[in-house]
Amino acid sequence: MVKDKLRRINSLEYFKAGIEPKWEDPHNENGGRFIFSVNKTQENKDEIYTNLVFYLLGESFDHCEHINGFRFISAKSAQTFYRVEIWVDFNDQNILVLTHYQVLLTHLFKSLNYDSKSVKFLNNKTEHAPKEPAA
């Protein structure tokens, strides 16, 4: 007999069809991710979530075609924050588009009273490149 159990959702993901939230995915391997945390006690965390979802899904800004997807993660109940990842198909070598997104996110976060200084960009290729063996 199988018992019914409530299951906790650890993440919400929105990705283009055929793209997985993995750096190994061919659509992501040459790109990167903007990563930041939102404290679970932050008063306007729902507003941040809602604005990001509608803003990113709305696709009404320059270079929006570079977004492969995004996700919100609450991996462990003991964590005091949610991790947000915005996956893009460009890396930190594309300075023009990277700078555009940094300005875009800074402006969006400023309107939401969120400190955008905690946003990091990770290059999928260099973050997960095989390590050279020690000589």
Side-chain angles (χ1 to χ4, degrees):
M1 183 166 130
V2 177
K3 291 185 176 184
D4 290 334
K5 292 185 178 183
L6 292 177
R7 189 173 152 180
R8 184 170 181 264
I9 297 174
N10 293 332
S11 70
L12 293 173
E13 302 171 349
Y14 302 88
F15 278 78
K16 289 180 181 174
I19 299 178
E20 295 185 54
K22 297 177 181 176
W23 66 268
E24 302 97 330
D25 186 295
H27 297 93
N28 293 326
E29 66 185 358
N30 292 316
R33 295 164 286 162
F34 291 95
I35 298 176
F36 58 95
S37 299
V38 176
N39 195 311
K40 289 182 178 181
T41 61
Q42 183 153 338
E43 289 184 28
N44 67 335
K45 68 181 176 292
D46 293 338
E47 184 181 6
I48 291 171
Y49 167 80
T50 303
N51 277 280
L52 273 173
V53 168
F54 286 118
Y55 194 75
L56 296 172
L57 288 177
E59 299 182 348
S60 61
F61 53 90
D62 290 342
H63 304 293
C64 62
E65 70 277 6
H66 292 290
I67 295 176
N68 285 343
F70 54 95
R71 64 184 180 173
F72 302 88
I73 303 167
S74 177
K76 298 177 183 174
S77 60
Q79 287 181 330
T80 59
F81 61 90
Y82 300 103
R83 187 173 77 227
V84 181
E85 301 175 351
I86 302 171
W87 292 65
V88 294
D89 66 3
F90 61 88
N91 60 40
D92 54 1
Q93 302 302 306
N94 190 334
I95 299 300
L96 177 69
V97 179
L98 179 63
T99 302
H100 175 79
Y101 270 82
Q102 288 172 328
V103 169
L104 191 79
L105 289 172
T106 299
H107 178 72
L108 177 63
F109 290 142
K110 190 174 184 178
S111 72
L112 295 168
N113 296 317
Y114 178 79
D115 182 9
S116 63
K117 291 177 186 161
S118 64
V119 177
K120 293 187 281 185
F121 184 82
L122 300 178
N123 181 324
N124 289 339
K125 198 88 144 165
T126 57
E127 283 292 314
H128 298 287
K131 303 289 184 222
E132 292 290 324

